Amino acid sequence: MDTSVLRTGPIRALLAAEVISTTGAQMTWVALPWFVLTTTGSATRMSVVIAFEAIGIALAGFLGIRVMNRFGARRTMLLCDACRGPLMLVIPLCHWAGALSFGLIAAVAFAVGAFTGPHFAAQRVIIPELLGEDEGVVSQASALFQGANRVTLLLGPPLAGVLIGFIGAPAVLVVDAATYAVAVFLLAVFVPATKPLPQTEEEDRGFRAGLRWAATDPLFRAWRFSLIVGDMAWQAIFIALPVLVVTRYDADPRIVGAMFAAFGVGAVLGNTVAYRLVKRMEGLTLIARVSLGQALPLWLLVFEVPAWAAIGVLGASGLANGLINPSLHAIITLRIPPELRATVISSFMTVFALAMPIGILGAGPLLDLLGVTPVFAICAAIQTIVMAAVAAAAVRARRAMPLEQIEARAA
C-alpha cells in the first residue's frame, strides 16, 4: 500500500483542509501581532495577545477531552473550525466599526487558542479511524500531515507580509476566517463520519485517566518525559537564534530568516523521505538509528562557525526531525487503546502545552545571565540526553516485541 494513502479521498480532503486553514493561521500569527503593535505601539500588549492564545490552547485540553469523547474526532474538527472562522472576524469587524478594545482582542485570541488545541488532538485521532491500525500506513499519513504543516510555516508568514502591505492586517484576518470556512466545507463533504469507538465508563475518560494510562506504558512514559523536556529546549533554541545572529553575524536579519527556513526545509525533506521509508523500515528501528541526528549537529552552534555552517546545522537537525516524527507519532497513537485514544492524546497535549512556556520564558533570563554560547551548550546537551533516551526506549521496546509482530511489520 505504498501510494494508497494519497489515493484515499478523505485523506486528500483532510490534507487540503490542513494546508489551507493552517496557512491562514500562520498568516494570522504575523498579522495579529503586527496589528496590535501598530495600533497600540506596545510590544508588551503584543506579547500578551500571543500569550493568551497559548494559554487558551493549554487550558482547552481539559475540556477538549470530553468534547472529543462526546462528539468524535471528525465532529470535533468541524466544531473547532466552524468556531474559529467567526471568531477571527470579530477583530476586523469591530475595528472597522470603531468598537474594538484591547481586552476584546485578548479574549478572541484566548478563544481561538481554546478551539485550536482540541483540533490538533482530533487530527491525530482521526487518521487511524480512517486508515486502520497499520503502523506503516499511519506513519505515511503522519509524514504527509507534518510535511504539510511545515510547508505552511514557509508559506504563511511571507504571504501575510505581502498581504498586509496591500490590504492591511485586519483584512488578512478576514482571509484567515475564510480559510476555516473552506476547511469546514472539505471536512463536511469529503470526510465521512467514522464508526464510533467503544467507550469506557464516563469517569474513566477524563484528564486523569489519560495520565494514568500513560504511566502504565513504559515506552509512552519514557517518550513523554523526553519529548516534553526536549521541546522545551527547542523553544529556548528558537528564542536564542536571533541573539546568536546579533552576537556573531552582525545582526543580519536575513541570517535569522535563513536559519528558521533551513530547519523547515530540512523537516519537509525528512517528512518526504519518511513517507517512503516507513513502508520498508520498522518505526522503532528508524527512531533508534536517527534520533541523535536531531541533537548532535546542534553542538556546532556552541562554536563560532560561519553563518552558512550554522544554517546547515539547523537544516541537518530539521532533516532528522522530519525523518523520525512520523513514526514516533504513529507509534504513540497506535499503542493507545482506541477507546482511550482521544483521552490520552488530549491529556498528553495539555501537559505539553503547559510545559512549553517554561522554555520560552526561561531562555531570556539565561541569555542575559550567561550569554549565547553557554545557552546553546545547555540546549545541545539537553537535546542529546533526551534524544539518546528516545533511541534507547525504542531499542528496548523493539526487543520486547514478539518475533511474529516484527516479521509481520517487515513483510
Side-chain angles (χ1 to χ4, degrees), residues 114-166:
F115 286 107
T116 297
H119 184 277
F120 284 159
Q123 188 187 76
R124 292 272 295 276
V125 172
I126 199 172
I127 292 175
E129 287 184 2
L130 292 171
L131 296 177
E133 302 289 315
D134 183 271
E135 181 192 315
V137 174
V138 175
S139 295
Q140 282 191 310
S142 296
L144 288 173
F145 281 97
Q146 289 176 29
N149 187 268
R150 265 63 179 265
V151 168
T152 66
L153 287 171
L154 301 175
L155 293 178
L159 182 58
V162 172
L163 289 178
I164 288 171
F166 280 102

Side-chain angles (χ1 to χ4, degrees), residues 24-40 42 45-53 87-88 90-92 100-102 104-110 112-113 160 164 168-170 172-173 176:
Q26 296 298 337
M27 291 165 59
T28 292
W29 267 93
V30 174
L32 184 56
W34 182 267
F35 173 73
V36 175
L37 184 61
T38 54
T39 55
T40 68
S42 170
R45 288 194 168 196
M46 178 189 71
S47 64
V48 167
V49 170
I50 296 172
F52 263 70
E53 184 169 356
L87 282 168
M88 291 311 307
V90 170
I91 293 175
L100 185 63
S101 66
F102 176 72
L104 180 58
I105 296 174
V108 169
F110 176 87
V112 169
I164 288 171
V172 173
L173 302 183
D176 186 17

Side-chain angles (χ1 to χ4, degrees), residues 90-337:
V90 170
I91 293 175
L93 293 179
C94 289
H95 170 68
W96 291 325
L100 185 63
S101 66
F102 176 72
L104 180 58
I105 296 174
V108 169
F110 176 87
V112 169
F115 286 107
T116 297
H119 184 277
F120 284 159
Q123 188 187 76
R124 292 272 295 276
V125 172
I126 199 172
I127 292 175
E129 287 184 2
L130 292 171
L131 296 177
E133 302 289 315
D134 183 271
E135 181 192 315
V137 174
V138 175
S139 295
Q140 282 191 310
S142 296
L144 288 173
F145 281 97
Q146 289 176 29
N149 187 268
R150 265 63 179 265
V151 168
T152 66
L153 287 171
L154 301 175
L155 293 178
L159 182 58
V162 172
L163 289 178
I164 288 171
F166 280 102
I167 62 178
V172 173
L173 302 183
V174 176
V175 174
D176 186 17
T179 66
Y180 289 122
V182 174
V184 168
F185 171 78
L186 291 171
L187 287 169
V189 175
F190 297 106
V191 179
T194 54
K195 183 181 296 185
L197 294 172
Q199 298 294 324
T200 57
E201 293 298 322
E202 183 67 28
E203 62 269 18
D204 293 332
R205 289 189 280 135
F207 179 78
R208 287 180 294 179
L211 296 183
R212 281 197 301 271
W213 183 90
T216 66
D217 185 275
L219 180 62
F220 196 97
R221 186 169 61 244
W223 278 0
R224 177 184 60 179
F225 178 78
S226 297
L227 294 176
I228 289 173
V229 174
D231 208 73
M232 288 165 56
W234 267 119
Q235 299 300 324
I237 289 171
F238 289 141
I239 294 296
L241 284 177
V243 182
L244 180 74
V245 172
V246 169
T247 303
R248 297 182 184 171
Y249 306 117
D250 299 322
D252 188 341
R254 294 172 297 179
I255 295 177
V256 178
M259 286 180 170
F260 283 105
F263 184 86
V265 170
V268 171
L269 180 59
N271 291 148
T272 303
V273 175
Y275 178 79
R276 298 292 182 184
L277 192 60
V278 293
K279 293 301 293 180
R280 298 194 296 270
M281 181 180 293
E282 195 273 326
L284 290 170
T285 301
L286 177 61
I287 292 166
R289 292 179 180 177
V290 179
S291 290
L292 280 172
Q294 177 178 301
L296 295 180
L298 299 175
W299 284 102
L300 289 178
L301 297 178
V302 177
F303 306 98
E304 294 196 16
V305 296
W308 61 264
I311 293 168
V313 163
L314 272 299
S317 184
L319 176 65
N321 178 275
L323 279 169
I324 65 173
N325 266 2
S327 290
L328 193 148
H329 288 183
I331 291 169
I332 286 176
T333 300
L334 296 178
R335 284 181 77 90
I336 305 168

